[in-house]
Amino acid sequence: MTSGRPLPAHASVVVVGGGVMGCSTLYHLAKLGVSDAILVERNQLTSGTTWHSAAQVRALRSTRSMTELARYSISLYPELEQETGQATGWINKGSLSIATTPDRLVHIERQVVLAKMFGLTASSISPADAKDIWPHMNAGDVIGAAWSPDDGRVSPSDLCAALIKGAKSRGAKVFEETGVIGILTEGGRIAGLETTRGTIRTDAIALCTGLWSRDAAAMAGVDVPVWPCEHFYLLTKPIEGLNGNVPTLSDHDSHLYIRDDSGGLLVGSFEPMGKAIAPETLGEDFAFQLLPEDWDHFEPMMINALHRLPALETAEVKTLLNGPESFTPDGTFLLGEATETRGLFLGCGMNSVGGGAGMALAHNIVHGHMPMDLGEADPARFPGCWNDADALAERVPEVLGRHYEITYPSRQWTTARDLRPLPLNAVWRSERAHFGQVHGWERPLYFGKTSEPTLGFGKPDWFGAVADEAVQAHTGAALFDQSTLGKIDVTGPDAERFLDRLCTGDLRRPPGSAWFTLMLNPRGGIEHDMTVMRLDDESYRLSVGTGAVKRAIAWLNRHQAENERVEIADATAGYATLALAGAKAPQAAEMAGATDILDLKYFRHRETEITCVANRAIDLYATLAGAGARPAGLFAQTAMRIEKRFLAYGHDIDSDTDPLTAGLAFALTWDTDFVGRDVLEQIRDTGPAKSVVTVLFDDTDAWPLGNEPVYRDGRIVGQTTSAAFGHRIGKPIALAVVERAAAETAVEIDIAGSRHSARTQPGAAFDPAGSRMRKLMEAGG
Ligand SMILES: Cc1cc2nc3c(=O)[nH]c(=O)nc-3n(C[C@H](O)[C@H](O)[C@H](O)COP(=O)(O)OP(=O)(O)OC[C@H]3O[C@@H](n4cnc5c(N)ncnc54)[C@H](O)[C@@H]3O)c2cc1C
């Protein structure tokens, strides 16, 4: 392309990597008016993973934002073709998902419901109708299906050509055969990059280096936990009777996707355990290359394929294509600015939605924020332990396999566990905890496990254990391990002024105070919710969510003015925190000798033995257990928080939710000036359009999981965001975001295609002391 031309000395943004992610980011940067953006690619455009992608495009994703990105991609492809005159190979033939097991049927029913809630076209169809759509399949064992007409596929190389054409027409430039060999930073910010063809100064880099991203980001001192896996698809020579393009057939019980390709069949797999591959074995010159065929590994998939596709028996195999593709530890890509280095924007770990993700990354670079909340792709969600090569190589084969697994509630990962044991890990094991991995930590979900829990969509077999823990936490004394909550110390002469500027509450409170507050973005959305403790005149401790600590520290660092004398430090690992709850908690605390906390009022703190240095945790636990306290896990805690309408960040609220919609007005102090205040004033004057409410189910056998549509008078008016069985109220319960008019009314919730009657209410379902506490919180003490 422009490999012979000299590189510019400076560019506003440099995109590194010429796969679909880099091409899309460049196009959208140019479209947003960055006319001097350049792309550097060490080999040729599309030569990494992109050229051999099967390039199916599915509109439905697990969340609304991800679906928006996929939907954007689908609208972009034909538009791009019109704009540039370059074909993208967009073929909109739809996709057919079949179910051969009852649980898969529930899964696809849930998907149809989700699709409708997100405004997509999707329908449940009979096995006979499925056979009509895909006559070449053996439908003998099919028990149901879902039809998604919006889906399709592109030609990845043509798509990139169109994106580049569109970008160049707006001034962008592309330099192939130009490898990045160093990233320059100054004062924690991107300053430029060194390439095989010279140095370029720049303020922003979009790192779109595919499976090589971990090494590429390391050049800037940034952790990017992505690792490649081998990905297989079989190609056959033309098959008689297979005429024209057909929809994609998703046979996920067989771990397969199937479609036509040049008159033959393309049969790809996400087998239960993939094969990891070390990026260094591929080398820097791995361009337009593939990995060796592995028929032994593919054999079980081949058997499945032969069952589904009788025509395959006699088909001539062209190749078993094996290409590397990168995955993150949770399967979702990384999108956004790195927490460690300002100006380094990551578009890494992609295995889908390239077009839309490039739009979002360009938006982030130009406007300083994502076009919508994309917390699930936030690079800050991974703690440092995930950048470990061994952990990644162990996890990503399971991630590849999960891609087509049934999304059972509360299913846990089986690989790369025990990365971050809690100080009380040995104690929790002796209490037979069932653990879940949260931000790398091993957290007890419930206790008294006798066997691995059965996966399913109905009443779980741990129901009784969790019910007992909830009762213990209500009427007795229960201990919840809260050590994973992020603890951030903000200290220095300007700490009060600094935090007061960012937080919605009044920070000028005496040492010993503790209170709930928020940090908002300039659009009035909640970026962080936290409990603040004032330790002394110059020091505060912020307690944030388990997964929020890296993001919160980055937020604080980014908002610190140069002349502000403030130190920000992560104190999480230094402390074990036990939450002692229940009617008998005071006696247990007293028996444990922590008498000085008994006269503490609500939302006050005092240094005592209850949050202790990590190496004293076992002694503390033994003392409290001796005083009658019993351990309780995250499932009981979640059920109780939903009853109390305590909102969880990333579930019930996110950076698109303002505090008035969330019912968190008590955390706002209108007489101080804080980030986001102007927008909130407007919302206060007009009233928020939506509300976060409690949903109480009439049917005690309903099993809501969250992410279900809320219907009122036959129309979708919102969606559930968290759900559980409320053991203190004896009913299933959920939190939901609904239109304001539906905040207190009869509704129906669609769970996997069945409607369940329920009632919404603005307040908590179970909160006997709530009004008194709320008043105390409002009064700050
Ligand atoms: C067999 C297979 C089937 C697939 N099927 C689908 C599908 O059906 N649907 C779907 O959505 N996705 C599919 N994918 C995934 C999809 O192909 C990828 O998500 C996508 O191609 C990744 O694009 P990328 O731009 O992130 O990475 P890449 O295409 O790998 O691009 C990264 C580029 O960065 C360059 N680079 C790396 N380091 C440097 C450096 N230091 N300096 C300069 N350049 C550098 C590389 O040379 C490379 O060209 C499939 C993948 C495989 C392997």
Side-chain angles (χ1 to χ4, degrees), residues 648-716:
Y649 198 89
H651 295 273
D652 312 307
I653 50 174
D654 60 23
S655 64
D656 287 339
T657 320
D658 69 82
L660 299 172
T661 296
L664 298 175
F666 69 86
L668 307 174
T669 310
W670 291 104
D671 56 7
T672 64
D673 200 14
F674 52 82
V675 176
R677 193 196 144 111
D678 300 353
V679 181
L680 279 197
E681 276 175 2
Q682 289 165 24
I683 300 172
R684 183 184 60 184
D685 295 345
T686 55
K690 293 181 180 172
S691 298
V692 179
V693 296
T694 299
V695 180
L696 291 159
F697 285 77
D698 298 331
D699 175 5
T700 49
D701 290 330
W703 286 100
L705 303 174
N707 243 355
E708 291 106 355
V710 179
Y711 281 85
R712 185 185 183 214
D713 300 331
R715 195 172 64 81
I716 296 178

Side-chain angles (χ1 to χ4, degrees), residues 140-450:
D141 55 350
V142 174
I143 59 170
W147 170 236
S148 309
D150 297 336
D151 299 348
R153 62 195 206 234
V154 285
S155 155
S157 307
D158 289 343
L159 169 61
C160 288
L163 289 165
I164 292 295
K165 199 170 172 193
K168 282 182 162 182
S169 72
R170 294 173 171 91
K173 291 193 174 64
V174 175
F175 297 87
E176 295 183 299
E177 310 292 350
T178 308
V180 173
I181 49 175
I183 294 179
L184 310 174
T185 59
E186 283 166 14
R189 299 188 75 101
I190 289 295
L193 35 74
E194 282 168 0
T195 78
T196 48
R197 297 181 52 231
T199 302
I200 310 169
R201 302 290 297 181
T202 187
D203 300 330
I205 293 175
L207 200 75
C208 305
T209 40
L211 63 90
W212 295 273
S213 296
R214 184 166 167 272
D215 288 344
M219 292 192 260
V222 169
D223 286 355
V224 168
V226 303
W227 200 261
C229 256
E230 302 183 23
H231 182 160
F232 297 88
Y233 63 71
L234 177 91
L235 287 168
T236 75
K237 292 197 172 156
I239 288 177
E240 223 183 286
L242 190 67
N243 301 320
N245 298 123
V246 296
T248 300
L249 175 62
S250 303
D251 178 7
H252 293 181
D253 287 326
S254 305
H255 318 282
L256 300 175
Y257 58 90
I258 303 161
R259 66 163 166 85
D260 63 284
D261 188 273
S262 314
L265 283 169
L266 181 156
V267 183
S269 76
F270 282 96
E271 62 276 17
M273 265 299 164
K275 283 176 73 188
I277 179 164
E280 60 270 20
T281 59
L282 301 172
E284 293 182 6
D285 55 354
F286 188 88
F288 297 116
Q289 290 184 50
L290 293 169
L291 300 165
E293 292 182 343
D294 184 344
W295 282 100
D296 287 345
H297 183 75
F298 194 70
E299 190 184 354
M301 301 304 113
M302 190 67 197
I303 293 167
N304 291 349
L306 285 165
H307 167 75
R308 187 61 58 218
L309 302 165
L312 214 51
E313 290 277 359
T314 51
E316 226 182 306
V317 171
K318 211 156 53 174
T319 183
L320 176 58
L321 183 143
N322 179 5
E325 176 178 14
S326 59
F327 294 89
T328 64
D330 63 8
T332 301
F333 49 80
L334 300 173
L335 202 67
E337 194 171 10
T339 52
E340 299 94 328
T341 306
R342 289 229 71 178
L344 186 72
F345 293 86
L346 308 174
C348 311
M350 310 304 302
N351 34 65
S352 58
V353 284
M359 175 277 287
L361 194 63
H363 189 286
N364 189 186
I365 295 168
V366 171
H367 297 294
H369 60 88
M370 288 290 171
M372 65 199 104
D373 184 88
L374 279 165
E376 61 266 60
D378 188 341
R381 72 192 188 277
F382 291 116
C385 63
W386 271 121
N387 208 34
D388 178 73
D390 291 339
L392 288 168
E394 193 186 334
R395 169 56 62 81
V396 294
E398 189 183 7
V399 174
L400 180 141
R402 278 287 177 95
H403 201 51
Y404 280 0
E405 289 295 339
I406 296 169
T407 49
Y408 287 114
S410 51
R411 181 176 195 152
Q412 303 303 316
W413 295 100
T414 60
T415 54
R417 299 296 298 260
D418 296 321
L419 300 178
R420 295 177 96 186
L422 290 168
L424 283 170
N425 184 50
V427 174
W428 300 147
R429 281 190 191 280
S430 72
E431 297 282 356
R432 289 184 286 122
H434 178 54
F435 290 94
Q437 195 177 44
V438 189
H439 204 55
W441 297 101
E442 292 295 334
R443 275 188 90 167
L445 302 178
Y446 61 90
F447 289 88
K449 179 175 94 161
T450 50

